[in-house]
Amino acid sequence: MSNLTSKKQNRILYGILTVLLASAAVLSVLTFNAGKKEAENLPETETKQIGRATEADTPETIPSVPKEKENAEDAGLFGSKKDPAKETEAETKEEEAAKTDAPAEDKTVSAASVLPTFCSPVENGVILQGHSVTVPVFSATMNDYRTHAGIDIACEPASPVLAAADGKIGSFWHDPLMGYTLSVIHSGDAVTIYQGLAEELPEGITAGAEVKAGQVIACSGTTALIECEEEEHLHFMLHIGGKDVDPMEYIALPTMASVYEY
């Protein structure tokens, strides 16, 4: 009797176990099918391992190099793409081209920039009064002390006045204080000025006329009112670059001892 009961119990246990196993198998099949359907609904991506990332994590195209990096490469920060030898050769060609295109340096000195050789504007003239623009000198005519631009060269009345250098006649005018005045333009931006002249000029002495050193260009006179009490003389001035200079620094003339008190 006990054996029959034991066998009956075993059959019941086997039956329950079989049902459980069958249930587990069915559940596994259902779970597998559900996962398969879910996978089919997802986008198709390959999941091959590439290092620690997958191809799904890798973009389809490689992004372009940022401009900042390209500029850095050109600057040599990441290694220049340019050939240094070719760059040096190109720079050398550019420098040579620049030298070729540049105008050649003119090493010749223009004749107009050179001062001429000056001579005395009066034959056998001597200096009565020198050039003094910083220290006042006595004026016999005005009876006072004043500066004296130019030099006074002694000469007889109506003596020939000579061009002190090659040049051309500038202008001829009457100065209220210094009388009839003539200017001659020379090279080197120099101008000679002759004052206290006679009113009449030699034939051909007109503005623009070419003259040679030592050529007669006027006659001395007594038309300088503020120097009429001095001995007969020519008042002569020299300007260089528009500035009054001492003619004695450019012309060698003897000096007459002054008869005036200073």
Side-chain angles (χ1 to χ4, degrees):
M1 186 71 178
S2 61
N3 288 334
L4 291 175
T5 302
S6 178
K7 288 181 180 181
K8 188 177 181 179
Q9 290 176 350
N10 288 337
R11 288 192 190 99
I12 293 171
L13 290 175
Y14 287 144
I16 295 173
L17 182 59
T18 300
V19 171
L20 292 175
L21 290 175
S23 299
V26 172
L27 182 62
S28 297
V29 172
L30 293 175
T31 302
F32 176 77
N33 290 335
K36 185 176 180 180
K37 288 182 180 180
E38 184 178 356
E40 289 177 353
N41 294 330
L42 292 175
E44 294 182 1
T45 55
E46 295 183 3
T47 56
K48 295 181 181 179
Q49 193 75 17
I50 303 178
R52 297 180 61 184
T54 63
E55 287 187 354
D57 298 326
T58 305
E60 294 181 359
T61 58
I62 299 175
S64 59
V65 179
K67 290 184 178 180
E68 292 78 8
K69 186 171 182 180
E70 289 181 356
N71 296 336
E73 288 179 352
D74 291 339
L77 298 179
F78 294 96
S80 176
K81 298 177 182 178
K82 301 177 182 179
D83 187 348
K86 291 183 179 180
E87 287 184 353
T88 303
E89 183 179 354
E91 290 174 358
T92 303
K93 289 182 179 179
E94 288 179 0
E95 291 176 359
E96 291 178 354
K99 291 180 180 178
T100 303
D101 296 338
E105 181 180 357
D106 186 7
K107 296 183 179 180
T108 60
V109 178
S110 173
S113 65
V114 179
L115 285 173
T117 300
F118 295 100
C119 63
S120 174
V122 175
E123 293 180 352
N124 303 317
V126 292
I127 304 302
L128 291 176
Q129 185 65 270
H131 182 271
S132 181
V133 293
T134 56
V135 179
V137 295
F138 184 75
S139 169
T141 303
M142 306 304 294
N143 195 31
D144 62 8
Y145 286 86
R146 60 183 58 211
T147 58
H148 189 253
I151 57 177
D152 293 340
I153 307 175
C155 61
E156 295 294 329
S159 294
V161 174
L162 313 176
D166 294 349
K168 63 180 180 180
I169 301 298
S171 56
F172 180 69
W173 71 97
H174 182 266
D175 185 282
L177 299 179
M178 295 303 298
Y180 286 100
T181 303
L182 179 68
S183 66
V184 179
I185 302 169
H186 309 279
S187 62
D189 199 16
V191 178
T192 50
I193 301 172
Y194 312 77
Q195 294 188 299
L197 303 175
E199 184 176 355
E200 298 296 327
L201 294 178
E203 184 178 354
I205 302 302
T206 58
E210 298 287 340
V211 295
K212 295 293 183 181
Q215 179 179 339
V216 177
I217 56 174
C219 289
S220 63
T222 56
T223 58
L225 294 180
I226 63 172
E227 293 186 352
C228 61
E229 293 298 323
E230 279 83 0
E231 296 183 39
E232 299 291 338
H233 68 276
L234 167 72
H235 186 86
F236 176 74
M237 294 192 295
L238 174 61
H239 292 174
I240 297 178
K243 296 181 179 180
D244 172 56
V245 298
D246 185 356
M248 293 293 287
E249 295 181 0
Y250 300 87
I251 305 173
L253 292 171
T255 302
M256 179 183 290
S258 175
V259 296
Y260 307 121
E261 295 181 359
Y262 295 97

